[in-house]
Amino acid sequence: MELDVSSLESVRRFAHHWKSIGDPIDVLINNAGIFNMGVPRSSTVDGYEAHLGTNYMGHVLLVSLLLPYLEDAARHSDARVIFVSSKLHKVGSVHFDDLQLERKYSPLLAYSQSKLAQLLVVRHLREAFKSNPRIVCLSLHPGEVLTDVVKTLPRPVQRLYRMVMQFFLLTPRQGCRSTVFAASGNVGDIEPAVGATGGYLGSNCRPLMPSKAAQSDDDAQELWTWTLKELALDSSFLAARIQ
């Protein structure tokens, strides 16, 4: 089954295909993302700034459309929604007056905004899921991992980066440990320890306090309201269903 979170239509097609399968979903890991270093601003097919559309909008739509199957799993055990974020959210702001970053843009500005948005939506979802505590919503920083994040940079820079940074960065196998813990660790070891951090875990699998901006209930609500309007979702997230 193909899924491209940079395209809302692709997300909807995936959800429609899953509906035909109908299996419960125990864990939904929102990991796919981009960091377009060294390239000009671009947009998704839906017209969103590329980082916002790929790292945030597509994932939120996916969660909303697959919620019935998370609820099915939660009838028998806990179900988990996980957003793989980044500590770079700490340098980010949600630019409500220019979410598309059309007036001022840099790759870091866009990436950090999208990662902060993930933490804010997790904060909001944790509040929404209080009515169904068996749905556990978490975000995490995987650590500094040697991946293809520099693929948009010139090839000589990519080679130099890998040559040098392999001695300092985590391998992908090491970098997935916090994600695996969030997905499979004992809920009693995770909750309520992450309550004070808004569901945020560090790369060492321990609760980690996010930035002050990520703790704003007002910003979480404002972003959520905007997101629902953009995605044409019901104002009550838990009422959203695949049509």
Side-chain angles (χ1 to χ4, degrees):
M1 295 172 63
E2 181 179 332
L3 173 59
D4 178 0
V5 291
S6 71
S7 164
L8 300 183
E9 179 57 32
S10 176
V11 174
R12 292 187 176 99
R13 283 199 304 268
F14 179 89
H16 181 74
H17 290 158
W18 193 268
K19 184 179 181 180
S20 66
I21 297 172
D23 287 347
I25 296 176
D26 298 289
V27 181
L28 178 57
I29 301 174
N30 298 287
N31 179 58
I34 60 169
F35 189 178
N36 288 341
M37 296 182 185
V39 297
R41 182 189 181 281
S42 61
S43 300
T44 66
V45 293
D46 302 290
Y48 296 106
E49 186 281 316
H51 297 82
L52 183 68
T54 305
N55 300 350
Y56 175 72
M57 299 295 288
H59 291 302
V60 174
L61 180 61
L62 183 66
V63 171
S64 70
L65 296 180
L66 296 183
L67 178 58
Y69 310 105
L70 289 160
E71 290 177 324
D72 286 346
R75 292 189 178 96
H76 308 288
S77 183
D78 63 88
R80 306 188 193 188
V81 177
I82 300 163
F83 282 79
V84 180
S85 186
S86 167
K87 73 174 184 181
L88 285 179
H89 82 273
K90 293 185 176 181
V91 300
S93 299
V94 177
H95 302 268
F96 287 108
D97 60 339
D98 184 27
L99 277 169
Q100 305 299 338
L101 301 180
E102 295 174 316
R103 295 197 294 269
K104 182 180 179 181
Y105 176 83
S106 75
L108 178 59
L109 197 70
Y111 180 78
S112 59
Q113 174 178 252
S114 70
K115 292 301 176 177
L116 175 57
Q118 290 180 337
L119 265 68
L120 287 171
V121 80
V122 166
R123 186 174 188 86
H124 187 88
L125 294 181
R126 285 176 64 84
E127 183 65 29
F129 288 150
K130 280 186 176 179
S131 62
N132 190 348
R134 282 191 168 183
I135 299 181
V136 179
C137 197
L138 303 166
S139 61
L140 59 92
H141 169 56
E144 290 75 41
V145 186
L146 188 63
T147 66
D148 288 334
V149 69
V150 295
K151 65 181 180 182
T152 55
L153 296 178
R155 289 187 182 276
V157 177
Q158 293 183 42
R159 288 195 292 269
L160 181 61
Y161 173 85
R162 294 189 180 94
M163 185 183 306
V164 174
M165 298 310 291
Q166 65 178 315
F167 300 106
F168 303 99
L169 301 183
L170 300 174
T171 66
R173 184 181 180 89
Q174 293 169 326
C176 73
R177 58 192 176 193
S178 56
T179 304
V180 172
F181 174 73
S184 61
N186 189 302
V187 173
D189 294 332
I190 300 174
E191 300 279 3
V194 295
T197 70
Y200 186 53
L201 293 165
S203 59
N204 60 359
C205 304
R206 296 178 180 175
L208 181 65
M209 191 61 66
S211 68
K212 185 176 180 180
Q215 301 175 55
S216 171
D217 291 328
D218 289 343
D219 284 358
Q221 182 59 56
E222 184 173 353
L223 180 63
W224 184 247
T225 300
W226 177 85
T227 304
L228 290 182
K229 182 178 179 180
E230 289 292 314
L231 297 178
L233 293 175
D234 190 282
S235 59
S236 172
F237 175 77
L238 295 180
R241 292 293 185 270
I242 299 173
Q243 300 299 319

